Amino acid sequence: MRDSHAAEARPYHHGDLRRALIDAARRILEAEGPSALSLRAVAREAGVSPAAPYHHFKDKAELLDAVAAEGWEMLDAAMARAKEQAEPRDKLTALGIAYVCFARENPALYRVMYDAARDKEALPEQMHASEDSAFCKVRDTMIEQGADPESAVELELATTAAWCAAHGLAEMAGFKQFEHLKETLGGEVPFLRAVFGHMGLFPGVRRD
Amino acid sequence: MRDSHAAEARPYHHGDLRRALIDAARRILEAEGPSALSLRAVAREAGVSPAAPYHHFKDKAELLDAVAAEGWEMLDAAMARAKEQAEPRDKLTALGIAYVCFARENPALYRVMYDAARDKEALPEQMHASEDSAFCKVRDTMIEQGADPESAVELELATTAAWCAAHGLAEMAGFKQFEHLKETLGGEVPFLRAVFGHMGLFPGVRRD
DNA sequence: CTGATATCTGGACGACGTAAACATATCTTG
DNA sequence: CAAGATATGTTTACGTCGTCCAGATATCAG
């Protein structure tokens, strides 16, 4: 059976329990929400004993970190796709819309992602550090749409502002208070565009 | 002892356990953070048995709701104070700064406030409904600073955008990634002003 | 004073996170 | 290939949690 361990590392007893646990966690998260996401429930869903996860994660927080990391990757991919498909002068808005839509379509996952970030008091490395991180994607898009690439501080401030706007909107968009506005404007996405427009951040949708 | 129950309602055994429980919860929250805020710990802190709170709150969530409600009142008061003290053309920015500063000075309480809101998928009534709610304060200030009071939808969109911006910034401002920016700009408040400025929401600090 | 009612205690239950002791499968090395 | 080392899993156990229930006791209404 040399073929089954050809990859590079872990197929022992279960095959790849680490992977299975993360998947189980995601399944529970989607089906029953964050409050049902206990370590024991994850182990149950994966068909192992309650203590088994401790051979793959230091504690519950580390499992959630792994789930969150995959969430950030998904968000990053969604934003990349959105930027690609949008017309040049609409790319920044498209990034913002993609961000909020991801959060709205995966509310439980988004919550886990930010809970982990708040506990660490930092966004994950992958979102802010690397060359093609989502954060850099926003910055680069700002340059493409006319921001001055020389003034680094201004550029980082603008990117930060955009990120704050997207996160704030992602959390607010689910509140009942704004349903009336969504109806008036004809749907969720028009509502998002309108709010982003009022932020004055996104040249593509700037009014007047 | 007729004097001790003169007020209007509740002094039975303990005096006013409901009040004492909320205070105990706030003390624990400030001293040990949200993760230490268990119902049993609150009862312990208040000097009663673990089951006693159930005569004043349906469950743990209802206690947290009460704590959150007081948090919103404090936030409202802080914003009112800020608006009062600011110069006319700086009032909107002052509201935003006050909002974020409150969240930064009471991170555990702010978290409880928004966790409760997320669970209910709504901001608390008190923040959005009444005449002098914080939300209306922002809207009114926008009018005072030149927004058109006739276009109700535009006005509500702008207010929503401002609220999203403040919340987003409140959550981001604690992340390590932005400490560098804070230093460059000479402190937290200048950082907040700069980000708000880049939002283009607050005429008082609009650049150029 | 007497019952009704509001408030608190004590004990119990099941679920949780986690640790320790043990069992077994796989890897490594001689 | 034999044999220890190591990685992976189970069982059992502990303390904490939210919550409920059965009393006890204090206050109130008549």
Side-chain angles (χ1 to χ4, degrees), chain B residues 34-113:
Chain B
S35 67
L37 191 63
S38 68
L39 237 200
R40 296 177 99 104
V42 172
R44 226 176 291 136
E45 170 80 16
V48 295
S49 80
Y54 285 89
H55 291 273
H56 301 271
F57 303 98
K58 185 171 117 304
D59 54 17
K60 183 185 181 182
E62 206 170 273
L63 204 198
L64 294 213
D65 278 353
V67 173
E70 300 205 349
W72 290 109
E73 273 172 35
M74 291 169 62
L75 172 55
D76 194 55
M79 288 173 73
R81 220 165 26 240
K83 180 174 175 183
E84 214 175 314
Q85 292 172 356
E87 303 203 358
R89 101 189 64 178
D90 196 43
K91 283 187 190 297
L92 240 186
T93 307
L95 282 173
I97 304 269
Y99 183 105
V100 180
C101 284
F102 173 84
R104 299 277 293 139
E105 286 160 14
N106 308 276
L109 180 54
Y110 188 75
R111 193 150 167 179
V112 168
M113 287 157 62

Side-chain angles (χ1 to χ4, degrees), chain A residues 83-102:
Chain A
K83 180 174 175 182
E84 215 175 314
Q85 292 171 358
E87 302 205 357
R89 101 190 65 179
D90 195 44
K91 283 187 191 294
L92 241 186
T93 306
L95 282 173
I97 304 269
Y99 183 105
V100 180
C101 284
F102 172 85

Side-chain angles (χ1 to χ4, degrees), chain A residues 144-168:
Chain A
E144 293 166 24
Q145 290 192 211
D148 176 12
E150 298 304 316
S151 55
V153 171
E154 293 296 305
L155 206 50
E156 194 163 347
L157 277 170
T159 309
T160 302
W163 199 272
C164 292
H167 172 65

Side-chain angles (χ1 to χ4, degrees), chain A residues 108-178:
Chain A
L109 180 55
Y110 188 75
R111 192 151 169 179
V112 168
M113 287 158 62
Y114 259 95
D115 281 351
R118 272 189 286 256
D119 282 342
K120 295 205 268 275
E121 297 186 346
L123 291 169
E125 282 287 324
Q126 61 190 137
M127 290 316 280
H128 193 268
S130 90
E131 184 65 28
D132 63 331
S133 67
F135 211 88
C136 291
K137 257 191 276 291
V138 174
R139 180 173 46 77
D140 294 347
T141 308
M142 285 192 158
I143 296 173
E144 293 166 24
Q145 290 192 211
D148 176 12
E150 298 304 316
S151 55
V153 171
E154 293 296 305
L155 206 50
E156 194 163 347
L157 277 170
T159 309
T160 302
W163 199 272
C164 292
H167 172 65
L169 189 45
E171 297 222 310
M172 297 293 162
F175 290 169
K176 300 193 200 309
Q177 275 91 357
F178 306 116

Side-chain angles (χ1 to χ4, degrees), chain A residues 180-201:
Chain A
H180 157 258
L181 262 180
K182 284 192 239 170
E183 278 181 30
T184 301
L185 297 171
E188 174 127 348
V189 171
F191 167 71
L192 300 181
R193 291 194 105 89
V195 177
F196 275 136
H198 276 272
M199 300 255 188
L201 275 166

Side-chain angles (χ1 to χ4, degrees), chain B residues 109-165:
Chain B
L109 180 54
Y110 188 75
R111 193 150 167 179
V112 168
M113 287 157 62
Y114 258 95
D115 281 352
R118 271 188 286 255
D119 283 342
K120 295 205 269 275
E121 297 186 347
L123 291 170
E125 281 288 324
Q126 60 190 137
M127 289 317 280
H128 193 268
S130 91
E131 184 65 27
D132 63 330
S133 67
F135 211 88
C136 291
K137 258 191 275 290
V138 174
R139 181 173 45 77
D140 294 349
T141 307
M142 285 193 158
I143 296 173
E144 292 166 25
Q145 291 193 209
D148 176 11
E150 298 305 316
S151 55
V153 172
E154 292 297 305
L155 206 49
E156 194 164 348
L157 277 170
T159 309
T160 301
W163 199 273
C164 291

